[in-house]
Amino acid sequence: MTERVNSLDIAKGMAIVLVVVGHVAAREDVPGADWYNLLRLAIYSFHMPLFMVLSGISLGLSWKVLANQAAVLGYVRKRLKKLVIPYALLGLAIICGKLVASRFIHVDNIPQGVVSGLLDLFLRPMASAASFLWFIYVLSAYYLVFPWFLHQAPRATPWAMMALGIVLYPFAWPSTFNIANLVMYLPFFSAGILLGQHWGKAASVINPRLALWAMPLLAALVYGVWQEPLSKWFVGTLSVPFVLALANQVQGPGKSFFMTAGIYTFSIYLFNTLCIGIAKAVTLSVMPWRDGYFVGHFVVLLIAGVWGPILVKKIVQKISPPVAAYL
């Protein structure tokens, strides 16, 4: 089991590094840096469905039969505290920070005020000042619901929820309460739980066939970049066996790096944009944001986006371990 969990950590590390790469210049194409613009386009075609599957695998692997509904309630409360508290506090900090910073510099997506910003954060998260936190919102909703069904029917639940997501997906869903994303990623989270429940069998099928999984994913990425983007459902599905197989085979410094990133996935997700923003303010003061210069930006911002949050977590652990438990 230890080796399988290590492989999952490595896969999470790969996924969160892809997120950081995409956030280096998340809102606009970089003039003269076509290599990055195409890379970001490819990453955005699959990285969040992949993340949802990996999150589902974690639940499927760790789920244990609970004694009664009181135990389920305790489990749900514990999980939600670890997700909702960081979401609310970081969201509030971003709202206040943007309101203050907008008085001195240009700031994107400025909330109208603290109260309206908080309403958006919880009612319309994709339109909020902290829209990048939407993943935590969706994951919180899943942890609010799934444990109850898993308690009653652990084997049937992922199948039923995956089928429900597939049936609901073709319809138009509102962004209020992040319903559109809740529906879109429901099959991926459910499939992840299923993989986690049958991890031994799944690993025996997936792990030895890295080249087999690489070919259709590479073809889909190339087509999506040079012709037209393919469905996230399609590319995301193709990415799952490839990343899991790759995570099982990576060795040496790469294994250590991605495992570390995987262990600190939540911290990196919370703080990578902030660390990238601070580093970007420094790099922009010494070189332009274009052409060959962007390579320098990319290296510095990637390092800041991955290692900055890890440093934040370690500093907070020394100052206040109870607070660090939420990061």
Side-chain angles (χ1 to χ4, degrees), residues 47-238:
H47 73 311
M48 292 317 299
L50 171 65
F51 237 122
M52 282 298 179
V53 172
L54 297 178
S55 299
I57 291 175
S58 295
L59 177 56
L61 276 171
S62 63
W63 180 258
K64 298 179 181 178
V65 177
L66 300 176
N68 49 46
Q69 291 190 347
V72 178
L73 179 60
Y75 176 87
V76 170
R77 284 177 175 173
K78 181 179 179 181
R79 288 289 187 169
L80 290 184
K81 281 178 63 178
K82 292 292 185 71
L83 294 169
V84 175
I85 290 177
Y87 179 86
L89 293 181
L90 184 57
L92 176 61
I94 291 171
I95 290 167
C96 295
K98 285 191 172 185
L99 288 171
V100 172
S102 64
R103 299 178 181 180
F104 307 100
I105 59 174
H106 171 74
V107 177
D108 292 329
N109 199 16
I110 307 170
Q112 294 181 354
V114 175
V115 174
S116 64
L118 286 173
L119 286 174
D120 284 339
L121 187 68
F122 287 98
L123 299 181
R124 298 171 293 274
M126 293 302 291
S128 73
S131 58
F132 71 94
L133 294 175
W134 70 265
F135 172 78
I136 299 176
Y137 191 104
V138 171
L139 199 59
S140 299
Y142 289 160
Y143 271 104
L144 181 63
V145 173
F146 268 87
W148 300 100
F149 290 107
L150 287 170
H151 176 65
Q152 297 296 329
R155 296 302 178 186
T157 291
W159 287 106
M161 298 298 273
M162 182 164 55
L164 178 64
I166 293 172
V167 170
L168 295 178
Y169 177 73
F171 301 97
W173 296 98
S175 59
T176 305
F177 295 114
N178 225 348
I179 293 175
N181 280 331
L182 284 169
V183 171
M184 177 176 181
Y185 293 104
L186 181 58
F188 290 99
F189 189 74
S190 304
I193 295 175
L194 195 61
L195 286 171
Q197 290 177 336
H198 304 278
W199 185 249
K201 293 180 179 178
S204 66
V205 172
I206 292 173
N207 291 340
R209 297 171 172 82
L210 178 61
L212 175 64
W213 310 126
M215 290 185 289
L217 175 61
L218 180 60
L221 293 176
V222 170
Y223 183 87
V225 166
W226 294 108
Q227 297 296 325
E228 58 181 341
L230 297 172
S231 167
K232 282 187 178 182
W233 269 39
F234 179 68
V235 186
T237 300
L238 293 178

Side-chain angles (χ1 to χ4, degrees), residues 1 17 20 46 52 62-63 65 146 197 203 207 218 243 264 269 297 302 312:
M1 178 64 72
V17 169
V20 175
F46 72 89
M52 282 298 179
S62 63
W63 180 258
V65 177
F146 268 87
Q197 290 177 336
N207 291 340
L218 180 60
V243 171
Y264 288 94
Y269 185 84
H297 288 287
L302 180 59
V312 170

